Amino acid sequence: MTSVAAEVSPDELQALLRGEVIGREDPRYEQARKVYNAMIDKRPALIARCIDVADVQTALAFGLQEGLEVAIRGGAHNAAGLGSVDDGLVIDLSPMRWVRVDPNTNTAVVGAGCTLGDVDHATHAFGLAVPMGVLSTTGIAGLTLGGGVGYLTRRHGLTIDNLLGVDMVLADGSFVHASEDEHDDLFWAVRGGGGNFGIVTAFTFRAHEHSTVTGGPTLWPLDRAADAMAFYRDFLGQADDDLSGFFAFVTVPPGPPFPEHLHNRQMCGVVWCHTGDPVQAAAALQPVREFGPPALDGLMELPLPALQSAFDALYPSGLQSYWRADFVSELSDEAIDAYVHHGSRLPTPLSTMHLYPIDGAASRVGRTDTAWSYREAKWAQVIFAVDPEPANADLIKSWAIDYWEAVHPYATAGGGAYVNFMMDDDQDRVRASYRDNYGRLAQVKRTHDPGNVFHVNWNIKPA
Ligand SMILES: Cc1cc2nc3c(=O)[nH]c(=O)nc-3n(C[C@H](O)[C@H](O)[C@H](O)COP(=O)(O)OP(=O)(O)OC[C@H]3O[C@@H](n4cnc5c(N)ncnc54)[C@H](O)[C@@H]3O)c2cc1C
């Protein structure tokens, strides 16, 4: 689809919507067009802030009538900036920010504009939690549609493994509910296949009884990094699903609660989460302390939403960020050497590498049960190069690429990555990320979006 229609007036669409429509002349435009990653600088023709399904249907029909490319925006967190489009129409769902928790059925219905923090806020009041990610500012929509990896993945599976249904506006403007019982082809495809099949306006999730957890970081000096990584590999591989933790290379932030003697030091560590009671957690985590002792032991009992927002302040919107990713099934000692070599050379204080566990409950779902194919992988890895300074964009980018090239040979066979952690990978990598599921996804795409209206995403082409 091509279009420029760069000077489309917002007035005609505004007359039809309850939400705000922002054009290029609007004083709110510069703020409204920003996405999380400041490396992305897109200038849409119109931004339609939809407040309900009717707004979404109307905005989509208008965009198609005007020949505009359409991007769907949830939390705007996508590293590749796929929530926006140059010269096109952004259907911005961020005003659809509501949650309805049903404590009788342990379910939550969530508006597509919610952040993870919105969902946590609402469910925590009932002692419930939906498995999501590690930063509360991320959008629930993009995260869920790509898969959803976080602290509860080993315990309860990916976010999509806890998805019970979606409300969607399809390319032809129709509205459907997709679940195991209705439009099951769509329901299969949206569980990992991204925003390719329609605009999701609400998600229904299964929630679980969790209130507080034992969590936080343990950090070790870099000269223990290879041992720490090997310990982490062996220890977590044997641990119950109650325990999770992502491995990271980090620079200790120069402020409280971190002790002064560690400020600005590059270290490695794990951010843990144990969902059992504190006594069980202490016993389960004892080997971590025995392996150490850690230079920093930040383990404590805390509300799950506190853990899931603990790093928000470090990673605000507006930073330059560049991502590379892989799936990892085995961490050989040789692979660890490569990880440590590059992980010990972080180019800027916020740059990092994370290995997120996706084994446990997530690995007990079949590889064709949802669009997410890599059920045998043990980690979703991401090399996350970050700095506030635009002048450092090339520096962080080349570090991430060098790191990725060194460790990619040790990645899970198939060549794919978690789509939500990809940035400028090409279409071949998308196909590789779905492996055998790609053909079925392309069929679903042909049925529901034969014209590829929804292509501002990791695009699955209609079969
Ligand atoms: C700092 C940071 C931390 C992160 N941590 C995690 C983590 O812990 N776990 C994890 O799994 N991921 C994580 N992510 C990745 C995150 O899942 C993706 O960036 C995801 O795309 C964000 O969703 P969003 O709604 O905010 O994005 P947006 O930029 O708004 O949209 C992203 C994509 O989703 C599509 N989309 C959005 N909303 C809809 C909708 N309602 N209907 C159809 N398509 C839609 C868009 O078309 C676009 O292609 C993190 C990202 C960042 C930047």
Side-chain angles (χ1 to χ4, degrees):
M1 179 177 300
T2 53
S3 78
V4 174
E7 301 311 325
V8 168
S9 159
D11 297 344
E12 195 183 334
L13 180 57
Q14 183 63 82
L16 303 170
L17 290 202
R18 290 286 172 100
E20 296 166 336
V21 180
I22 299 173
R24 285 180 171 158
E25 305 303 319
D26 194 303
R28 298 167 296 182
Y29 179 78
E30 284 306 318
Q31 188 59 32
R33 76 182 180 88
K34 283 185 184 155
V35 294
Y36 174 85
N37 183 359
M39 244 184 224
I40 308 293
D41 184 27
K42 294 189 182 172
R43 300 186 66 81
L46 291 179
I47 300 165
R49 289 182 164 160
C50 298
I51 65 161
D52 60 12
V53 172
D55 270 4
V56 172
Q57 289 173 310
T58 306
L60 177 63
F62 179 86
L64 296 180
Q65 175 198 305
E66 295 295 319
L68 293 168
E69 275 189 279
V70 174
I72 317 303
R73 172 175 173 153
H77 247 244
N78 190 269
L82 295 172
S84 188
V85 60
D86 275 324
D87 300 323
L89 168 69
V90 173
I91 297 186
D92 178 357
L93 305 182
S94 60
M96 297 174 70
R97 214 169 159 178
W98 50 267
V99 180
R100 183 176 187 282
V101 180
D102 183 344
N104 295 316
T105 57
N106 285 5
T107 55
V109 186
V110 174
C114 284
T115 62
L116 306 195
D118 297 332
V119 182
D120 256 351
H121 174 79
T123 56
H124 188 67
F126 295 93
L128 296 171
V130 173
M132 304 180 291
V134 303
L135 217 73
S136 83
T137 53
T138 311
I140 191 70
L143 176 130
T144 302
L145 294 168
V149 169
Y151 291 113
L152 299 181
T153 303
R154 292 190 87 235
R155 181 78 173 79
H156 299 295
L158 303 168
T159 306
I160 48 170
D161 301 332
N162 296 279
L163 186 63
L164 300 174
V166 285
D167 289 348
M168 291 178 79
V169 173
L170 304 183
D172 64 4
S174 61
F175 176 77
V176 298
H177 181 75
S179 68
E180 291 285 4
D181 304 321
E182 294 169 74
H183 300 285
D184 58 336
D185 60 335
L186 274 173
F187 186 55
W188 176 83
V190 296
R191 284 178 290 165
N196 275 285
F197 308 96
I199 305 172
V200 175
T201 54
F203 298 84
T204 305
F205 293 108
R206 184 186 304 114
H208 302 271
E209 290 174 14
H210 294 295
S211 188
T212 60
V213 295
T214 299
T218 53
L219 299 182
W220 293 278
L222 285 181
D223 59 13
R224 300 226 58 201
D227 289 345
M229 241 179 148
F231 163 77
Y232 166 77
R233 168 195 68 196
D234 299 339
F235 172 62
L236 198 63
Q238 303 295 319
D240 290 348
D241 295 352
D242 277 334
L243 183 66
S244 189
F246 69 87
F247 191 93
F249 288 97
V250 297
T251 305
V252 178
F258 300 98
E260 224 173 295
H261 70 281
L262 296 181
H263 287 178
N264 296 313
R265 270 186 66 184
Q266 290 200 8
M267 306 193 81
C268 70
V270 180
V271 182
W272 302 98
C273 175
H274 192 285
T275 54
D277 68 47
V279 176
Q280 290 171 324
L285 287 158
Q286 188 56 27
V288 176
R289 288 171 164 142
E290 284 166 4
F291 162 77
L296 177 111
D297 184 339
L299 284 164
M300 64 180 84
E301 193 186 350
L302 75 175
L304 181 58
L307 182 61
Q308 297 196 137
S309 55
F311 304 107
D312 288 4
L314 277 181
Y315 291 101
S317 176
L319 302 171
Q320 306 281 314
S321 55
Y322 181 82
W323 299 46
R324 280 286 174 114
D326 267 322
F327 286 117
V328 177
S329 298
E330 281 173 33
L331 267 179
S332 64
D333 292 346
E334 196 182 286
I336 286 177
D337 287 345
Y339 271 97
V340 171
H341 178 83
H342 291 270
S344 304
R345 290 166 176 76
L346 304 177
T348 58
L350 292 176
S351 295
T352 183
M353 188 290 301
H354 291 174
L355 284 172
Y356 290 100
I358 50 171
D359 57 341
S363 66
R364 292 192 287 275
V365 178
R367 62 190 271 178
T368 58
D369 290 355
T370 65
W372 177 288
S373 162
Y374 283 77
R375 295 287 179 174
E376 83 280 22
K378 291 204 166 64
W379 290 278
Q381 167 246 71
V382 62
I383 298 160
F384 182 32
V386 189
D387 196 64
E389 192 44 67
N392 286 335
D394 288 344
L395 172 80
I396 60 175
K397 194 171 169 179
S398 62
W399 170 78
I401 292 171
D402 288 350
Y403 197 151
W404 183 83
E405 285 176 350
V407 296
H408 183 63
Y410 307 105
T412 303
Y418 174 28
V419 287
N420 274 344
F421 288 168
M422 299 203 310
M423 190 152 167
D424 55 3
D425 307 75
D426 60 17
Q427 185 64 20
D428 288 348
R429 197 120 205 258
V430 176
R431 190 180 278 268
S433 297
Y434 295 110
R435 293 194 301 201
D436 297 349
N437 289 335
Y438 191 88
R440 184 170 169 195
L441 286 165
Q443 294 289 348
V444 180
K445 180 79 172 172
R446 186 175 67 177
T447 305
H448 295 286
D449 183 16
N452 206 4
V453 168
F454 303 114
H455 62 272
V456 184
N457 44 42
W458 293 118
N459 195 224
I460 291 158
K461 305 269 190 291

